[in-house]
Amino acid sequence: MDNVHQHGLASIRSNYGKFSDKEKKIADYILHNPQNIIHHTINQVSDELNVAESTVFRFCQRIGFKGYQALKIALAAEIVTPMKDIHEKINDGDSMATVSEKVFRSNMKTLEDTLHILDGMAIEQAVEAILAANKVEFFGNGGSALVAFDAYHKFVRSGLQVSSNLDSHMQLMTASQLTDKDVAILISHSGSTKDTLDVLQVLKEKKVKTISITNFAKSPLTKEADISLYTVAEETDFRSEALSSRIAQLSIIDVLYTNVMITRKEKGKEALQNMRKAISLKRL
């Protein structure tokens, strides 16, 4: 798992004396423009600094990260700035219209920040795993159980074998029935919810392929999962991070679902048409 438990900037500062000239050039760039790392690809950075991509990659490893993406995630978690606009803080005297706008802006920022650290390679691996699986099961507890159920509600249209269960005991039971030909998607804001980690243990024993969706890059869940996807959300006075990260979790599920449907082409279309036909019975 990406070694993201340490802070990127602190690691650069503490090792600075040992760096070669080329490494110092990269270090200075990151220390002065951490935002650029979050928004740029490794080849954009190597072009800008006029060094080889492999040099940038090795630098990331030198300061304790698995690669560029891992550094990017650590920096995003470290410097994701509270909304600069003073106006985004909800104040006692705010009208309902103002509060409404601020809630929307906060959600938009969560989506923007999450998009910046979205790892295309991890998305690709997750989509491939889902497509190759005999069965896909979604797991989550508390608020994340609702996201898992939303994912099930979407993926049921794909024609793939999917399921989800809201009860934590049932989750342990269904996890124990999966095999190494199945995929489990675990959703947890903190990545350290005991019920979800219990399910993870059962899945590991059964050698089930696991995909995690969490907000923290350094959680027990991401350490153990085969593929890790991340959201970025911050707390405000009236909303917990978990609340604003939900919209980003739902968006990651949308990304997986849309990519799965596009890859399945005709099969996906057929499954969707069958679903629409069945649902039309519910309409007057």
Side-chain angles (χ1 to χ4, degrees):
M1 176 50 212
D2 297 346
N3 183 13
V4 283
H5 60 268
Q6 60 178 307
H7 290 301
L9 298 176
S11 177
I12 292 170
R13 287 190 191 105
S14 61
N15 288 297
Y16 195 86
K18 304 176 208 154
F19 293 155
S20 68
D21 288 349
K22 248 185 196 166
E23 286 173 335
K24 280 183 177 154
K25 188 179 181 183
I26 300 169
D28 291 339
Y29 179 81
I30 297 172
L31 291 171
H32 294 129
N33 317 282
Q35 287 286 358
N36 285 7
I37 299 295
I38 298 169
H39 300 158
H40 290 174
T41 61
I42 189 166
N43 62 348
Q44 283 173 312
V45 171
S46 68
D47 283 354
E48 207 160 316
L49 292 173
N50 206 10
V51 295
E53 261 181 57
S54 55
T55 310
V56 179
F57 184 78
R58 276 198 304 273
F59 177 82
C60 298
Q61 292 187 318
R62 175 110 153 86
I63 57 167
F65 295 95
K66 194 173 166 185
Y68 183 75
Q69 193 64 28
L71 174 66
K72 201 180 212 189
I73 290 162
L75 288 177
E78 210 175 318
I79 63 164
V80 83
T81 44
M83 294 172 200
K84 293 205 175 57
D85 196 339
I86 189 70
H87 215 46
E88 302 299 357
K89 291 274 173 228
I90 292 176
N91 304 311
D92 282 349
D94 284 348
S95 67
M96 283 194 189
T98 304
V99 169
S100 306
E101 187 183 337
K102 287 178 181 180
V103 167
F104 268 83
R105 298 251 170 251
S106 162
N107 281 346
M108 285 152 72
K109 183 171 190 310
T110 297
L111 289 175
E112 282 283 344
D113 290 341
T114 300
L115 177 60
H116 286 317
I117 64 149
L118 207 58
D119 181 348
M121 188 73 82
I123 293 288
E124 221 166 285
Q125 288 170 346
V127 169
E128 278 167 18
I130 291 166
L131 288 166
N134 281 351
K135 185 177 184 190
V136 180
E137 185 138 1
F138 299 93
F139 295 94
N141 285 282
S144 296
L146 304 175
V147 179
F149 203 74
D150 176 80
Y152 167 61
H153 182 256
K154 283 188 183 101
F155 272 86
V156 104
R157 298 162 163 73
S158 67
L160 299 172
Q161 284 297 311
V162 293
S163 67
S164 184
N165 212 293
L166 294 170
D167 181 83
S168 59
H169 289 90
M170 284 297 291
Q171 286 180 20
L172 286 170
M173 289 159 72
T174 56
S176 74
Q177 300 307 301
L178 296 176
T179 73
D180 60 359
K181 294 188 170 52
D182 302 317
V183 164
I185 299 180
L186 300 109
I187 301 147
S188 167
H189 173 68
S190 68
S192 52
T193 309
K194 188 180 183 307
D195 285 339
T196 304
L197 293 175
D198 289 346
V199 166
L200 179 69
Q201 274 332 105
V202 175
L203 294 167
K204 298 296 279 183
E205 279 162 32
K206 307 295 289 187
K207 302 201 167 22
V208 181
K209 186 144 197 144
T210 52
I211 300 167
S212 66
I213 302 176
T214 67
N215 194 56
F216 295 110
K218 57 186 176 188
S219 70
L221 179 56
T222 51
K223 217 160 94 192
E224 294 287 334
D226 296 312
I227 300 165
S228 300
L229 304 171
Y230 301 103
T231 58
V232 178
E234 32 172 285
E235 243 168 86
T236 61
D237 293 344
F238 291 89
R239 312 174 74 216
S240 72
E241 293 178 305
L243 199 62
S244 49
S245 78
R246 196 150 312 147
I247 199 146
Q249 290 171 344
L250 292 166
S251 300
I252 287 178
I253 297 292
D254 284 351
V255 164
L256 295 176
Y257 168 72
T258 308
N259 278 300
V260 162
M261 289 301 271
I262 287 167
T263 313
R264 276 176 65 77
K265 295 192 180 80
E266 288 311 311
K267 280 186 191 156
K269 254 189 220 155
E270 197 183 317
L272 202 50
Q273 276 157 0
N274 291 341
M275 178 74 64
R276 284 180 181 147
K277 194 170 152 196
I279 286 175
S280 69
L281 297 171
K282 292 280 183 199
R283 296 207 177 96
L284 283 174

